[in-house]
Amino acid sequence: MKKKLFFFMMLAVVIVACKPEPEPEPEPVPEPTPYDNLNPQQKTWALVFNYTASWCQYCGQWGVPTMNSCIEGGDCVGLAIKASGDPQAVSAGLWNSFKSDRGQGAGTPSFFVGNSTQNVQSQAPRYCQNLLGTYCYMGLDVSHEIKDGKMLVYVKTRNYESIINIHDFYIVAYLMEDGLHYTQNGSSESDPVHNFVVREASSGDDYFGEQLFSNGDQNAEFTHTFSFDMKSKYTPENCYAAVVVYKKTTNEPVYQYVNCRWTRK
């Protein structure tokens, strides 16, 4: 009897020992996000602020060609900031925010590139090219889509060095529009087209944006989605977004330019 009991006990041990291990659970597949295809590069783009207006004769004569030359030079974001009296003027609050920090006292047309405090006028394309060679410590990439009456702007940044004072960094998206047909004083064109027009800022009347960053570690990435209502006055296929990172300082301008990108094709 004992022998039989021992035999069955050993048989149970063998059966248990031969039982196959359960298959491991498959790794969960992460849900796709709008940021997956964004890849911030370690490259500084140029940024040019152009104060302009349709009633300004010199804007039509040499301001528009100068802005076009800046953009044609490549890797450059151009902000055409329209003054009061222009059919597409930015809000008074946004205009004052730009002008109080960049270009105070300058008329139209005026051009400020990067962190220059000087109105460089027709020399803006050269200043833009010089800015392209500056060191990049924060890269960014952007994309946008328009759906359900909104423009969604997807942003990813990457720190290429450790940033101790990351809370001094601000980020903003501008809703931009091309292909606006209306008169331009001083232009030789029979049907002037206004491009690179700033329509509004994600931060309302604060041109410099919001403090959204929290991690200053090297290689740390930041993602965010900005949203704009697509008003009836906007033509969706002509709209795109520009995103700019600034750093708050005690210098002039207070909000120093860091880097930018846009979704303009």
Side-chain angles (χ1 to χ4, degrees):
M1 183 67 181
K2 289 183 179 180
K3 289 184 178 180
K4 284 186 178 181
L5 180 61
F6 178 75
F7 172 77
F8 285 118
M9 287 175 63
M10 291 302 295
L11 182 61
V13 169
V14 171
I15 292 173
V16 170
C18 295
K19 185 178 181 181
E21 290 291 325
E23 290 292 326
E25 291 291 326
E27 290 290 327
V29 178
E31 291 291 326
T33 76
Y35 314 111
D36 293 342
N37 294 325
L38 298 180
N39 185 25
Q41 299 297 305
Q42 191 175 12
K43 180 176 177 59
T44 299
W45 275 34
L47 176 65
V48 56
F49 302 83
N50 171 213
Y51 298 103
T52 183
S54 59
W55 44 259
C56 164
Q57 183 172 359
Y58 291 130
C59 294
Q61 287 180 351
W62 60 266
V64 172
T66 297
M67 185 66 148
N68 289 337
S69 294
C70 290
I71 305 306
E72 289 165 3
D75 295 344
C76 176
V77 168
L79 304 178
I81 305 159
K82 298 288 191 174
S84 176
D86 188 291
Q88 309 304 338
V90 295
S91 69
L94 184 56
W95 171 269
N96 291 334
S97 180
F98 272 113
K99 292 285 285 181
S100 64
D101 196 35
R102 285 182 147 79
Q104 191 170 15
T108 56
S110 56
F111 289 83
F112 294 83
V113 176
N115 292 316
S116 172
T117 58
Q118 176 187 1
N119 178 9
V120 297
Q121 298 185 329
S122 60
Q123 295 300 308
R126 178 171 63 85
Y127 277 77
C128 287
Q129 289 302 305
N130 292 340
L131 189 56
L132 296 179
T134 57
Y135 175 69
C136 171
Y137 59 88
M138 181 185 286
L140 70 155
D141 198 9
V142 298
S143 66
H144 85 264
E145 65 175 334
I146 296 176
K147 65 177 183 180
D148 300 327
K150 293 185 180 295
M151 175 187 282
L152 302 176
V153 184
Y154 307 114
V155 184
K156 179 188 285 186
T157 70
R158 181 180 299 132
N159 301 338
Y160 282 97
E161 63 178 39
S162 178
I163 301 174
I164 298 173
N165 50 353
I166 192 66
H167 294 288
D168 291 335
F169 286 72
Y170 287 67
I171 189 167
V172 63
Y174 302 111
L175 176 60
M176 311 284 293
E177 188 167 6
D178 284 351
L180 294 164
H181 293 256
Y182 57 95
T183 59
Q184 174 61 61
N185 196 12
S187 174
S188 60
E189 302 291 330
S190 59
D191 182 23
V193 180
H194 298 254
N195 294 324
F196 326 119
V197 177
V198 176
R199 301 300 245 147
E200 56 183 286
S202 58
S203 46
D205 286 341
D206 292 328
Y207 93 91
F208 47 82
E210 306 167 80
Q211 199 295 310
L212 298 176
F213 297 100
S214 60
N215 189 347
D217 294 344
Q218 186 171 2
N219 297 320
E221 293 186 339
F222 162 83
T223 57
H224 187 70
T225 299
F226 294 101
S227 178
F228 294 97
D229 290 329
M230 292 299 294
K231 299 180 176 66
S232 59
K233 64 181 179 180
Y234 302 153
T235 302
E237 56 267 28
N238 292 344
C239 291
Y240 52 97
V243 177
V244 183
V245 176
Y246 300 99
K247 179 184 177 184
K248 187 176 182 180
T249 69
T250 56
N251 301 325
E252 183 184 354
V254 172
Y255 293 92
Q256 294 274 300
Y257 168 61
V258 176
N259 211 344
C260 67
R261 292 293 189 274
W262 63 8
T263 61
R264 186 176 188 265
K265 303 301 184 185

